[in-house]
């Protein structure tokens, strides 16, 4: 299996217009994030409301993103689904479209035993035949997590398994995973799914899946590069602001990301139901908190650098 280096991947929002995917704006969005030096684009991610997008739409997005990127950056396809066969179908479609890598979380809604999680992920990875990352976010997934034991079993059973994208903020777990996995597979990758990059990098993370990059791509690029060089002292102030923004958008959600994007001159529409758009007073409060973050003062407006 060809090695895939994850790097700094932007987890894009999905633009909607009149309830439908706005492909014109999605094209602008992809171009913008390529200009902002993303190492790759995750489409359609959880930040991109993947759970509110039909299977047919997701397959169309895979094709559109690969065609638009045109080899300039890799497309990392989110193939998470409630059913194993559904996820396998998405994985095959992403591979056929030209995606460079795949990722998936534990099955939506269910709380299967670890033996079934192993089978679920193994089948997805085999179906896609691409470097495959497992997305670990217990808080989002009813407490179901990807244990270090499951990680090691995936390494034994699935050649396509490339690493873990971790959103748990459980540093002890991350240390355990990477220390055990690296002994079996030296090129195993631990990817931070949050912008707490100093801590993640100190543990051994080499990549970042970033949602905050939708609105602060330059700050996150600078933070990531400094952490990769282990220049933590210089990165400290950026990390403080990145952590603040992570918490801010955890509070306001995808609606908040889209509201700030619009305020920066990049209108990506409203979220799909059941997510709701923010009220005017909420948006004003969000903007005030956003502007209090000093590191975002040089972030780009509109669709150009």
């Amino acid at each position: 299996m060809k090695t895939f280096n994850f790097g700094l991947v932007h987890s894009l929002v999905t633009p909607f217009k009149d309830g439908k995917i706005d492909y014109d704006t999605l094209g602008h969005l992809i171009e913008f994030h390529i200009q902002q030096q993303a190492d790759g684009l995750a489409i359609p991610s959880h930040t991109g409301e993947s759970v509110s997008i039909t299977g047919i739409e997701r397959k169309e997005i895979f094709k559109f993103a690969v065609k638009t990127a045109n080899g300039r950056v890799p497309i990392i396809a989110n193939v998470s689904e409630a059913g194993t066969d559904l996820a396998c179908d998405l994985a095959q479609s992403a591979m056929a479209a030209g995606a460079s890598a795949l990722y998936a979380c534990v099955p939506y809604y269910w709380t299967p035993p670890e033996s079934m999680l192993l089978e679920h992920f193994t089948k997805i990875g085999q179906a896609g035949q691409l470097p495959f990352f497992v997305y670990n976010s217990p808080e989002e997934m009813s407490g179901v997590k990807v244990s270090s034991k499951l990680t090691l079993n995936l390494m034994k059973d699935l050649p396509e398994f490339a690493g873990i994208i971790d959103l748990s903020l459980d540093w002890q777990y991350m240390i355990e995973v990477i220390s055990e996995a690296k002994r079996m597979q030296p090129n195993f990758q631990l990817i931070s799914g949050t912008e707490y990059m100093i801590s993640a990098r100190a543990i051994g993370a080499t990549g970042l899946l970033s949602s905050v990059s939708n609105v602060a791509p330059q700050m996150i690029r600078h933070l990531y590069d400094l952490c990769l060089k282990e220049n933590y002292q210089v990165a400290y102030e950026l990390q403080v602001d990145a952590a603040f923004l992570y918490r801010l958008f955890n509070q306001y959600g995808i609606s908040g990301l889209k509201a700030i994007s619009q305020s920066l001159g990049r209108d990506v529409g409203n979220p799909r139901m059941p997510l709701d758009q923010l009220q005017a007073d909420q948006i004003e409060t969000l903007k005030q908190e956003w502007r209090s973050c000093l590191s975002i003062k040089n972030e780009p407006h509109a669709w150009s650098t």
Side-chain angles (χ1 to χ4, degrees):
M1 175 58 58
K2 183 179 179 182
T3 300
F4 176 83
N5 294 317
F6 199 91
L8 171 56
V9 173
H10 293 189
S11 179
L12 302 192
V13 297
T14 300
F16 296 110
K17 186 175 182 179
D18 299 325
K20 298 180 180 180
I21 296 169
D22 183 351
Y23 282 100
D24 287 342
T25 301
L26 180 57
H28 289 309
L29 199 64
I30 291 169
E31 293 292 343
F32 173 79
H33 285 277
I34 291 173
Q35 290 174 13
Q36 296 305 312
Q37 298 181 304
D39 294 328
L41 304 176
I43 300 176
S45 63
H46 292 89
T47 303
E49 303 174 67
S50 57
V51 294
S52 298
I53 297 174
T54 69
I56 292 174
E57 288 174 323
R58 289 168 76 173
K59 293 174 184 180
E60 291 172 348
I61 288 174
F62 295 155
K63 294 176 184 177
F64 180 86
V66 169
K67 182 178 179 180
T68 303
N70 194 27
R72 291 173 292 171
V73 296
I75 299 299
I76 298 89
N78 171 25
V79 297
S80 304
E81 259 296 356
T84 304
D85 288 345
L86 295 172
C88 289
D89 181 51
L90 287 174
Q92 290 171 338
S93 295
M95 177 189 64
S100 297
L102 310 172
Y103 76 90
C105 66
V106 301
Y108 300 132
Y109 317 120
W110 314 119
T111 55
E114 195 161 280
S115 59
M116 293 307 297
L117 288 178
L118 176 62
E119 185 174 355
H120 175 74
F121 288 131
T122 299
K123 286 184 177 294
I124 297 170
Q126 290 172 340
Q129 300 176 34
L130 292 170
F132 177 57
F133 295 83
V134 171
Y135 182 96
N136 181 48
S137 183
E139 186 175 334
E140 291 180 287
M141 301 299 165
S142 304
V144 180
K145 62 182 180 181
V146 180
S147 69
S148 55
K149 179 183 177 183
L150 175 56
T151 300
L152 296 178
N153 283 331
L154 279 167
M155 292 170 68
K156 293 175 185 175
D157 294 353
L158 183 64
E160 292 84 359
F161 180 53
I164 295 285
I165 302 171
D166 188 75
L167 289 83
S168 70
L169 294 177
D170 182 343
W171 310 119
Q172 183 177 347
Y173 161 80
M174 293 172 75
I175 291 169
E176 183 179 319
V177 164
I178 198 162
S179 62
E180 293 188 16
K182 283 284 189 180
R183 282 197 289 267
M184 281 186 62
Q185 186 174 308
N187 62 351
F188 175 87
Q189 297 177 68
L190 176 63
I191 310 300
S192 178
T194 73
E195 283 75 12
Y196 287 82
M197 193 61 202
I198 285 182
S199 299
R201 177 57 180 155
I203 288 170
T206 54
L208 171 60
L209 179 65
S210 171
S211 58
V212 174
S213 289
N214 279 282
V215 291
Q218 292 188 3
M219 182 184 79
I220 299 302
R221 178 81 253 180
H222 193 195
L223 171 65
Y224 176 79
D225 289 343
L226 287 171
C227 288
L228 213 60
K229 296 173 184 176
E230 300 183 1
N231 196 345
Y232 302 131
Q233 188 171 359
V234 177
Y236 177 76
E237 292 299 331
L238 288 172
Q239 178 61 91
V240 170
D241 282 350
F244 168 76
L245 292 180
Y246 172 79
R247 295 191 302 272
L248 183 66
F249 290 115
N250 227 18
Q251 176 185 351
Y252 286 95
I254 295 166
S255 300
L257 278 174
K258 288 193 166 186
I260 292 300
S261 182
Q262 184 175 26
S263 76
L264 293 170
R266 297 188 296 275
D267 188 352
V268 290
N270 296 318
R272 265 186 177 171
M273 292 179 64
L275 297 181
D276 198 6
Q277 59 185 307
L278 301 180
Q279 300 301 310
D281 60 331
Q282 293 176 302
I283 293 174
E284 188 53 40
T285 300
L286 171 59
K287 286 180 180 179
Q288 289 175 9
E289 295 194 66
W290 162 258
R291 288 192 291 265
S292 74
C293 181
L294 298 179
S295 298
I296 55 91
K297 61 183 179 180
N298 294 320
E299 291 298 335
H301 288 238
W303 295 109
S304 63
T305 56

